[in-house]
């Protein structure tokens, strides 16, 4: 139960919606656990949780390695902080790891792209009537060191938009395997009975007009991750190749 209301039969989204609430307010969860004599009751206090979505380390030869696990509302500031940390440490080349990144906030992608690509369109959407909505980088914080972007078949949606912008502006080398290929905008439309329907209303396009949906981004350097090597020796062959490319630049 959630605050005394039966949660049996609710979907995960419905349960999360009932548990969420104003910061500082309590929520009571009643839990059934096999082997316990009675129901267990927990009173939790709601608070804002900022999950880390960006990690950073400095590799050999002053190569900054930044991994973005997803694009959330907190990701932009986390990325800027780690990027500045890398610059302060004397970064001479950068690896941006977007492998297994499922996407997320479009605003976060546009803001982060503004710290990498030059002035111009980052991404635009277009509906069936040809109506466009464009998102721009002002170019004031364009990245000034060589860049390699790591992607794979699980890099999707927003991560593909960032990859596409970097590729179109030739701001970095894309390395890995072809990305997932999700480039559509979907919206929920409420129905009179309280339910809703989700419809595709437009497509995302890279600056050069490439529609990634169903096709994905093809890397400049195609290289599949050697999972067996990684399991046995802890060696990431894709990352090693990225370091090799940056050393040559």
């Amino acid at each position: 139960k959630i605050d005394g209301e039966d949660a049996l039969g609710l979907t995960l989204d419905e349960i999360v919606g009932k548990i969420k609430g104003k910061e500082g307010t309590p929520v009571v969860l009643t839990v059934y656990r096999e082997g316990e004599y009675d129901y267990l009751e927990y009173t939790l206090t709601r608070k804002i949780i900022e999950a880390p979505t960006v990690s950073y380390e400095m590799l050999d030869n002053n190569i900054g390695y930044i991994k973005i696990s997803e694009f959330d509302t907190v990701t932009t500031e986390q990325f800027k902080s780690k990027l500045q940390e890398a610059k302060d440490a004397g970064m001479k080349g950068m690896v941006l790891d977007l492998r297994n990144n499922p996407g997320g906030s479009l605003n976060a992608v546009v803001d982060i792209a503004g710290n990498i690509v030059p002035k111009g369109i980052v991404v635009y959407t277009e509906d069936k009537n040809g109506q466009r909505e464009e998102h721009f980088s002002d170019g004031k914080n364009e990245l000034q060191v060589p860049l390699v972007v790591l992607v794979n078949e699980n890099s999707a949606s927003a991560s593909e938009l960032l990859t596409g912008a970097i590729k179109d502006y030739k701001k970095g080398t894309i390395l890995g395997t072809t990305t997932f290929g999700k480039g559509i905008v979907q919206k929920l439309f409420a129905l009179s009975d309280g339910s809703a329907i989700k419809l595709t209303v437009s497509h995302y396009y890279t600056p050069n007009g490439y529609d990634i949906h169903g096709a994905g981004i093809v890397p400049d350097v195609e290289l599949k991750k050697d999972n067996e090597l990684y399991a046995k020796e802890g060696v990431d062959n894709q990352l090693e190749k990225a370091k090799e490319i940056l050393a040559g630049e």
Side-chain angles (χ1 to χ4, degrees):
K1 297 182 179 181
I2 304 166
D3 282 335
E5 293 185 18
D6 197 347
L8 188 66
L10 297 181
T11 66
L12 178 60
D13 286 343
E14 290 170 331
I15 290 172
V16 170
K18 289 180 178 293
I19 292 176
K20 283 184 175 180
K22 187 177 180 181
E23 185 178 16
T25 60
V27 58
V28 180
L29 303 182
T30 305
V31 179
Y32 166 75
R33 183 171 295 156
E34 190 174 356
E36 294 288 344
Y37 175 74
D38 201 355
Y39 293 117
L40 303 176
E41 203 167 82
Y42 300 95
T43 300
L44 308 177
T45 302
R46 297 178 172 102
K47 67 179 292 186
I48 295 173
I49 298 174
E50 278 196 15
T53 60
V54 182
S55 58
Y56 153 78
E57 64 177 300
M58 185 62 79
L59 306 176
D60 296 338
N61 300 316
N62 292 93
I63 294 174
Y65 171 82
I66 297 179
K67 180 175 178 62
I68 304 177
S69 59
E70 63 178 315
F71 293 95
D72 203 344
T73 53
V74 299
T75 304
T76 299
E77 290 308 314
Q78 291 178 2
F79 175 80
K80 288 181 179 179
S81 174
K82 298 301 183 185
L83 180 60
Q84 189 59 53
E85 195 175 333
K87 289 179 178 179
D88 292 344
M91 177 176 68
K92 295 181 180 178
M94 177 173 148
V95 176
L96 178 61
D97 193 345
L98 299 179
R99 291 175 296 181
N100 301 312
N101 183 320
S105 167
L106 174 62
N107 290 335
V109 166
V110 174
D111 289 342
I112 288 171
N115 292 273
I116 300 175
V117 302
K119 183 178 181 179
I121 293 176
V122 172
V123 60
Y124 68 90
T125 62
E126 190 171 294
D127 64 17
K128 66 179 182 180
N129 299 315
Q131 186 170 346
R132 286 173 56 146
E133 183 177 341
E134 300 174 335
H135 303 269
F136 293 89
S137 162
D138 61 16
K140 293 179 180 179
N141 299 307
E142 182 181 352
L143 190 67
Q144 299 300 323
V145 298
L147 171 69
V148 174
V149 182
L150 300 180
V151 294
N152 64 8
E153 61 278 7
N154 296 318
S155 303
S157 192
S159 62
E160 294 178 278
L161 301 181
L162 180 56
T163 303
I166 292 170
K167 184 172 184 177
D168 281 4
Y169 284 111
K170 295 180 170 56
K171 281 300 297 182
T173 301
I174 314 302
L175 187 154
T177 54
T178 302
T179 61
F180 185 83
K182 184 181 185 298
I184 53 175
V185 183
Q186 295 175 306
K187 288 186 178 180
L188 282 173
F189 294 89
L191 302 177
S192 58
D193 64 356
S195 63
I197 186 169
K198 181 185 283 188
L199 294 177
T200 299
V201 295
S202 58
H203 278 228
Y204 285 115
Y205 294 86
T206 69
N208 288 347
Y210 177 65
D211 183 355
I212 66 172
H213 194 67
I217 303 289
V218 178
D220 300 308
V221 178
E222 294 195 55
L223 179 65
K224 190 173 182 179
K225 185 173 181 180
D226 189 334
N227 292 313
E228 187 175 336
L229 178 65
Y230 186 76
K232 285 184 177 180
E233 302 179 25
V235 175
D236 184 339
N237 66 309
Q238 291 176 322
L239 179 57
E240 291 303 311
K241 183 63 176 179
K243 291 159 63 176
E244 180 184 315
I245 291 170
L246 290 173
E249 294 182 359

